[in-house]
Amino acid sequence: MTTDADGERFRSRFTDGDVLGTWVSIGHPAIVEAASRAGFDFVLIDTEHTAMSLETVAELARAAAASPGELGVIVRPAWNDPVRIKRILDIGVDGIMVPMIDTPDAATELVRATRYPPDGDRGIASGRAAGYGQNFVDYVAEEHRSLLTIAQIETPTGVEHAADIAAVDGIDALFVGPADLSASLGVFAEWDAPELTDAMARSIEAGANADTPVGTLTVREADVADRVERGFDFQIAGKDMTTLIETGERIRETYEESVSKRE
């Protein structure tokens, strides 16, 4: 289980920039263990576009805690919904990344969903995050504030308001979602389109002006260096299912070429 000291260390490393995560969509603890052994700083567990249950997320969080090193766990809920958010946070994770944050008001709602009264609306419980009650008072009073809160910028409206979103007290980072942003700009999957390049640059500038890290997703290794050069402060690099499929394709192609040459 992540302790308060662990949470603060992860938060500090993250906000200092240059951390590297990887995307988890396969709900098996071995995937998280593999990410730790590969040396990633954190995993992003996606519950927006997967069939993962809360029980699965809890098992993945336990796997991260038991893995070698200090692997952070950030979870993406399906929406900026305080009910979904509080149930994830009660599991005991290091942070949350919420999709489609378009305005400062939405960002404020997100922060309030992560904070207990009087600063927010999160319901109080003695779950895993609070040591099943052993650390209940300290967690509710202060320690929950070490949670990392990331707002996803995925639309032109989000880009327009990125500076104000980054300036909301309690928003620790922005994340540019390239697929949704490209689609909303009318250039879906055109990763080098000027419209997308400009939107990314504007988001990075907004974060820099607010001293707020800005990250993005790079599915393939070939794109990692480019995103560093563009000025992103952190990346979520690689997606488990894509890596598995594309590595398998390369192995199969190598085998077929070798067999063909032998014949």
Side-chain angles (χ1 to χ4, degrees):
M1 185 183 304
T2 300
T3 66
D4 184 42
D6 293 335
E8 287 293 348
R9 280 198 301 271
F10 176 70
R11 179 189 178 87
S12 295
R13 284 192 294 132
F14 196 102
T15 54
D16 285 344
D18 296 329
V19 292
L20 181 65
T22 194
W23 199 278
V24 174
S25 60
I26 300 171
H28 195 286
I31 300 296
V32 171
E33 292 174 327
S36 177
R37 291 184 177 279
F40 286 99
D41 297 302
F42 68 96
V43 289
L44 186 286
I45 300 173
D46 183 25
T47 70
E48 181 183 7
H49 295 300
T50 69
M52 280 195 228
S53 66
L54 286 171
E55 290 87 352
T56 299
V57 173
E59 290 307 306
L60 298 187
R62 291 185 177 97
S67 295
E70 294 184 358
L71 185 71
V73 176
I74 299 173
V75 181
R76 180 168 76 164
W79 198 248
N80 190 16
D81 176 349
V83 175
R84 294 175 186 266
I85 290 171
K86 73 177 177 182
R87 297 193 72 196
I88 289 171
L89 297 184
D90 284 346
I91 288 171
V93 299
D94 297 291
I96 195 157
M97 187 173 89
V98 177
M100 298 289 180
I101 301 299
D102 284 345
T103 66
D105 286 345
T108 299
E109 291 173 4
L110 165 55
V111 173
R112 289 189 62 83
T114 70
R115 299 283 176 86
Y116 292 115
D119 301 321
D121 306 313
R122 182 178 170 186
I124 295 175
S126 56
R128 182 174 182 270
Y132 299 109
Q134 286 187 318
N135 195 35
F136 177 67
V137 174
D138 289 342
Y139 181 78
V140 171
E142 191 60 34
E143 290 176 9
H144 72 283
R145 296 175 183 275
S146 68
L147 287 163
L148 197 72
T149 303
I150 306 171
Q152 286 193 240
I153 305 299
E154 301 184 278
T155 68
T157 303
V159 174
E160 180 183 349
H161 293 111
D164 292 331
I165 293 169
V168 170
D169 185 27
I171 294 295
D172 299 299
L174 304 181
F175 181 87
V176 177
D180 280 294
L181 183 56
S182 69
S184 65
L185 290 167
V187 291
F188 175 62
E190 297 177 31
W191 308 124
D192 295 320
E195 297 91 336
L196 181 60
T197 298
D198 178 67
M200 286 182 168
R202 290 170 61 193
S203 299
I204 292 168
E205 182 180 8
N209 290 338
D211 197 25
T212 300
V214 181
T216 193
L217 170 68
T218 46
V219 176
R220 294 171 181 85
E221 178 185 353
D223 298 322
V224 169
D226 173 75
R227 300 305 186 265
V228 171
E229 291 172 6
R230 291 193 191 201
F232 284 104
D233 301 295
F234 68 94
Q235 292 185 45
I236 300 175
K239 296 179 73 173
D240 47 12
M241 187 62 75
T242 301
T243 300
L244 179 63
I245 292 171
E246 294 188 351
T247 301
E249 286 176 338
R250 289 196 298 271
I251 292 171
R252 175 184 53 76
E253 289 168 0
T254 299
Y255 176 75
E256 290 174 351
E257 290 172 5
S258 299
V259 169
S260 177
K261 289 177 181 178
R262 184 184 66 187
E263 295 173 351

